[in-house]
Amino acid sequence: MGDRANFVVVRESGEYELYLSRFGAVGLDLDLLAGPTETISMVRQLKADDWWLDDVHCQGAALIDLGRKVLMLFAWEGPSTEMRHRAATLELLQEAWKGWEVRWMYDGPAELRMYLGLDPEHVRDRESGLTVGPMLEPGDEELAGPEPMVAVVTVGTEHCYVLANINDHPVREGAALLDRLAGGPEHGGCQAPADAGIHVEPLRRRVGWWVLGASAEAYEMPQRWPGWTVEFWQDHWEEHVLSAPGRFSPPPVDRARALADVRTSAERHREARTRP
C-alpha cells in the first residue's frame, strides 16, 4: 500500500490538471514549503491521471489555483497535523506562498472537488461502516510519545477519555459515542498533545470538535447528532481547552522552536528527495 495523494493544478483559464502520486502523501506539506515554482515543477513531473482518490484512500492532496492564487491542502500525517508544529507549518507555508491564500481542506478530497465545482459524492465512501478507535488506558505507551495519535474526549465538566486516533473521528459516532464511553477508562485529564478532540455537554446537548488532519463529511456532522448543536472548531484545539478546563491541558507550543523544527524537517526531506 502506498501513500497516495492527488494533486491538482488549475490553469489561469480555469481548466485543471489532475495528477496521482502513489507515494506523495507523506511529506506533502514539506514539499509545498518549496513555494509555487518548485512545487508546480514537481507536480508536473508526475503522471497526469483521471483517478480521483476517495475518502478512504486519499491520504493527502493539494490544489494549486494559478489564476486565483489559492493553495489548498490536507494530509493525514506530517508536521501540519502535529499540535506542536501545526501553526508553524502553516505560517511557513504562507511565507513560501506569499500573496497566495492558503487553505486547509478539512473534508479531504471532497472539499477539493467542491472547489472545482465537481460532485463531491464521486469521492465519498458511504458504503463502509464506521470504524472507531479503541479507548486507551491511562499510562498507555502511545501517550508517552512526542506526537501521540490520540483523540481526547471530554464529557461535561467531570469526564475525560482518550481514544486512539487511527480510524474515524469520534464525532462521527453521534450520540452513540456516550454509550460507548460509559464505564470506559477515565483519565481525569489529558495533558498529551492530541491531534483530534471532541467536547460533549449532555445537559445542554452541545458538541464542539476539532481535528488537525481531515475527517470525511466534516461539515455534515450535525446530521449525525440530531437535536444537538454541533460546532466545528476546525484546528482550533484551544476552544476545547477553554470548554473543558482542567480536563484537557496540552503542553504549550514553543513557536520559535516549532519554526526551527519544521525548517529542519523540510531541508532533510528535500535532501532525501533529491538524493540520487
Side-chain angles (χ1 to χ4, degrees):
M1 181 176 179
D3 301 298
R4 303 183 185 94
N6 270 141
F7 291 87
V8 174
V9 176
V10 183
R11 304 173 195 156
E12 294 187 359
S13 64
E15 298 177 299
Y16 70 86
E17 306 160 8
L18 176 64
Y19 299 87
L20 172 68
S21 174
R22 296 181 184 275
F23 299 96
V26 175
L28 179 147
D29 46 8
L30 296 175
D31 283 327
L32 293 174
L33 288 173
T37 301
E38 289 192 35
T39 298
I40 294 168
S41 175
M42 178 197 74
V43 170
R44 284 183 166 154
Q45 291 176 32
L46 298 170
K47 180 181 178 182
D49 200 304
D50 62 358
W51 182 14
W52 285 94
L53 296 167
D54 64 18
D55 284 332
V56 174
H57 297 98
C58 189
Q59 296 165 280
L63 177 144
I64 304 163
D65 188 330
L66 300 176
R68 297 180 181 178
K69 292 192 179 301
V70 173
L71 170 68
M72 301 175 66
L73 74 147
F74 90 92
W76 282 3
E77 61 179 287
S80 59
T81 66
E82 300 166 353
M83 183 177 287
R84 281 192 305 160
H85 300 126
R86 169 70 166 206
T89 306
L90 295 181
E91 181 178 337
L92 291 173
L93 278 171
Q94 191 63 72
E95 181 181 299
W97 294 72
K98 189 174 182 178
W100 288 61
E101 179 184 357
V102 178
R103 302 182 193 173
W104 189 264
M105 293 184 286
Y106 293 95
D107 196 8
E111 194 163 344
L112 188 158
R113 284 181 60 87
M114 284 188 284
Y115 178 87
L116 295 171
L118 303 175
D119 184 5
E121 288 299 317
H122 183 77
V123 294
R124 291 292 191 211
D125 180 9
R126 300 193 188 268
E127 301 295 322
S128 300
L130 192 66
T131 306
V132 300
M135 301 177 70
L136 301 181
E137 297 281 348
D140 188 284
E141 62 180 13
E142 177 65 26
L143 293 168
E147 303 295 343
M149 296 178 61
V150 298
V152 58
V153 183
T154 53
V155 182
T157 60
E158 300 179 354
H159 304 287
C160 177
Y161 308 90
V162 180
L163 282 58
N165 189 36
I166 55 175
N167 293 301
D168 288 313
H169 194 292
V171 73
R172 290 172 57 87
E173 298 182 55
L177 171 65
L178 298 176
D179 294 329
R180 182 163 80 95
L181 296 175
E186 295 261 8
H187 283 247
C190 176
Q191 288 80 44
D195 48 20
I198 176 174
H199 178 65
V200 184
E201 298 183 7
L203 295 180
R204 299 175 61 196
R205 297 180 71 81
R206 297 182 67 90
V207 172
W209 71 284
W210 59 277
V211 66
L212 300 184
S215 181
E217 306 165 37
Y219 301 103
E220 300 177 22
M221 289 307 129
Q223 300 173 25
R224 294 178 177 265
W225 294 78
W228 293 64
T229 299
V230 179
E231 185 176 1
F232 181 27
W233 293 326
Q234 298 186 338
D235 64 349
H236 301 302
W237 50 268
E238 301 91 344
E239 295 288 343
H240 194 166
V241 174
L242 293 173
S243 298
R247 299 300 171 189
F248 179 41
S249 51
V253 175
D254 183 331
R255 175 177 173 273
R257 181 173 179 178
L259 288 169
D261 287 347
V262 177
R263 288 191 180 102
T264 298
S265 295
E267 290 173 4
R268 290 175 177 170
H269 179 73
R270 181 187 180 92
E271 291 172 0
R273 190 164 58 82
T274 57
R275 190 177 299 133

